[in-house]
Amino acid sequence: MWLFEVFFWISTAGVAHSYLIYPWLLRLHPSIPPSSPTDCTDWPAVHLIFAAFNEQAVIEKKLQSIIQIDYPRDKFRITIGSDASTDQTDDIISHYAQKYPFITLQKFTQRTGKARIINKIVEESSAEILVLTDANIIHTPEFLKIAVAALLHNSTLGAVGGTLHYFTSKSSGIAPQENFYRQRENAMKFTESSLWGYPMGLEGGLYVIRRSLFAPIPKNYFMEDFFQTLHLYCRGYKAILHPGVIAYEDVSTLPSEEFQRKKRISIGNFQNLFHFFTCIHSRPAMAFVFWSHKGLRWITPFLLLLALLSAAILAMASAPLYAFFTLCAAAAALLALIGYLSIRLDWKLNIPQYLYHFIHMNFALLIGFIEYTKGVKSNVWQPTRRNQV
């Protein structure tokens, strides 16, 4: 039975390290904000790129934020790849493109997928700096000069990540839990950025990267932002998450929508893990940050199942301590069920709802892994429902 005890404690320690110990260690080392010089006299050409599919609910607000960006107009262009949109997205973009010559609409007549659209537009770009963003991200006017200046003042810096501030028109569903989780992620990435220059994953909603470091995204890949992050690390460059590079995004409220998003993320996680496995472990600091922040979380569903199975077997062998752990797991599952019901009924029960969110998120990771093992045949996506509507 000693082997099951080893399984239990290793699994429990893995989950505890990633969700409790590592974040606590980072809090012991407050992040030092990077300097924000914007005194450049010769700004480089910048190309802002994003893909859109049926985004009529948010695309006008997105474009309005873009035209307010403070950057020399002769050095700034925007290309939007419409992935065979069937609503008013193309009409709205075309209206702005007629009014603002630096905006270009590139239509794709068949569903193509975000990765292939980005690859196509980047391939045709001659700009020195790329801004990768999403259709539902609302920009601040000053973010671009701050990000570009940071790249110009540090040749070892390959990319600057944006900080997404989350808002929603609702406080129902899983919005509070998702907002808490994402704010915690930002805080961790700030410290990783300050300590090592390895924030573990630039936010796909907004990051600014040198054109020379952009790698074509492999076919059928999800999580292209994490792919670009690890690619530039493997080439010897660093990245930072800059508190001055700010944008706004709504946060999920519907568990079903967030489940699908987390499942896509899980597929992309394992694609990137196996693609960059050798590179990740060639740098001790990067390997430590990766496994502490991301890797252990990606395998948390398996660690939880192994811990639960081991505890149940030991409990049946009349081990009181593990019988207690098994009862605790059963109680947590019951509380998570109550959390699910309370979300459906729009009741506020913090602990049950956070437990439900944690279990729900890990179940999505598990399903995503299963789909990854079956082989990914397409990365064409359906955007989550926008809460601004």
Side-chain angles (χ1 to χ4, degrees):
M1 289 293 173
W2 65 269
L3 187 58
F4 289 107
E5 291 192 65
V6 172
F7 288 159
F8 175 84
W9 289 110
I10 288 178
S11 300
T12 304
V15 176
H17 175 75
S18 189
Y19 281 94
L20 299 174
I21 299 171
Y22 180 66
W24 177 76
L25 290 174
L26 291 181
R27 292 187 67 179
L28 296 179
H29 299 275
S31 59
I32 302 172
S35 58
S36 302
T38 56
D39 54 351
C40 180
T41 56
D42 185 19
W43 294 100
V46 172
H47 196 170
L48 186 148
I49 298 166
F50 66 95
F53 172 69
N54 288 356
E55 296 283 8
Q56 68 177 18
V58 296
I59 195 65
E60 186 160 14
K61 192 172 183 180
K62 169 75 171 184
L63 292 169
Q64 287 174 351
S65 74
I66 286 175
I67 62 178
Q68 294 175 17
I69 292 173
D70 178 21
Y71 203 80
R73 285 291 175 257
D74 61 330
K75 299 290 185 71
F76 186 43
R77 61 178 295 213
I78 296 96
T79 302
I80 305 150
S82 177
D83 197 9
S85 295
T86 57
D87 63 357
Q88 298 301 308
T89 297
D90 291 359
D91 292 339
I92 296 170
I93 298 171
S94 295
H95 172 74
Y96 275 81
Q98 290 175 2
K99 191 174 181 180
Y100 301 97
F102 58 91
I103 297 177
T104 301
L105 169 63
Q106 190 165 337
K107 295 183 182 180
F108 291 77
T109 56
Q110 295 181 333
R111 292 304 309 276
T112 303
K114 178 180 177 180
R116 289 172 62 190
I117 288 175
I118 291 174
N119 281 346
K120 175 67 173 173
I121 298 174
V122 170
E123 182 183 0
E124 298 169 353
S125 177
S126 59
E128 185 180 340
I129 305 293
L130 303 175
V131 180
L132 282 302
T133 182
D134 288 330
N136 65 321
I137 301 299
I138 307 304
H139 301 285
T140 56
E142 66 278 1
F143 92 89
L144 188 52
K145 280 188 174 180
I146 294 173
V148 172
L151 291 173
L152 295 179
H153 283 78
N154 187 346
S155 61
T156 67
L157 201 60
V160 177
T163 307
L164 297 189
H165 291 250
Y166 302 98
F167 61 85
T168 178
S169 57
K170 303 176 182 178
S171 60
S172 58
I174 60 170
Q177 292 78 35
E178 191 63 23
N179 194 33
F180 170 80
Y181 175 78
R182 292 184 178 190
Q183 287 178 348
R184 193 165 177 258
E185 280 289 290
N186 278 342
M188 293 173 64
K189 289 179 183 180
F190 274 130
T191 307
E192 290 169 345
S193 174
S194 177
L195 290 176
W196 300 290
Y198 292 133
M200 204 39 64
L202 299 176
E203 179 61 61
L206 178 60
Y207 64 99
V208 183
I209 186 171
R210 298 181 191 274
R211 169 67 178 83
S212 60
L213 293 178
F214 180 90
I217 305 159
K219 184 178 179 181
N220 296 331
Y221 250 57
F222 292 91
M223 295 297 289
E224 78 289 337
D225 49 354
F226 207 81
F227 174 83
Q228 299 297 340
T229 302
L230 291 181
H231 176 263
L232 69 90
Y233 292 165
C234 291
R235 289 192 58 180
Y237 287 84
K238 300 292 183 72
I240 59 170
L241 201 68
H242 201 298
V245 181
I246 296 172
Y248 294 87
E249 179 187 24
D250 63 344
V251 66
S252 301
T253 63
L254 297 175
S256 58
E257 298 251 337
E258 190 59 21
F259 183 87
Q260 294 301 321
R261 194 180 75 88
K262 286 289 196 299
K263 187 173 69 173
R264 292 195 300 270
I265 289 173
S266 177
I267 294 170
N269 289 344
F270 290 103
Q271 288 175 323
N272 282 304
L273 173 60
F274 292 107
H275 187 99
F276 291 104
F277 189 86
T278 301
C279 168
I280 289 169
H281 297 92
S282 67
R283 294 169 172 80
M286 183 165 68
F288 172 73
V289 175
F290 171 81
W291 282 105
S292 296
H293 189 166
K294 293 295 184 181
L296 286 172
R297 293 190 183 190
W298 296 353
I299 63 172
T300 286
F302 307 101
L303 296 178
L304 291 174
L305 289 172
L306 182 58
L308 181 59
L309 178 63
S310 300
I313 291 173
L314 291 164
M316 288 187 290
S318 300
L321 177 62
Y322 297 98
F324 170 74
F325 288 140
T326 304
L327 288 174
C328 288
L334 179 60
L335 282 174
L337 177 60
I338 294 172
Y340 165 73
L341 295 174
S342 67
I343 288 173
R344 294 293 299 269
L345 297 171
D346 201 20
W347 295 346
K348 301 301 178 187
L349 298 174
N350 282 338
I351 293 177
Q353 288 176 356
Y354 277 95
L355 269 173
Y356 165 71
H357 185 255
F358 177 77
I359 293 174
H360 189 249
M361 178 176 64
N362 278 284
F363 184 59
L365 292 176
L366 178 61
I367 298 301
F369 173 77
I370 293 171
E371 292 197 6
Y372 164 75
T373 61
K374 293 178 180 178
V376 182
K377 298 179 175 60
S378 173
N379 66 346
V380 173
W381 86 111
Q382 181 72 31
T384 56
R385 191 179 307 176
R386 303 309 186 193
N387 292 321
Q388 291 97 325
V389 184

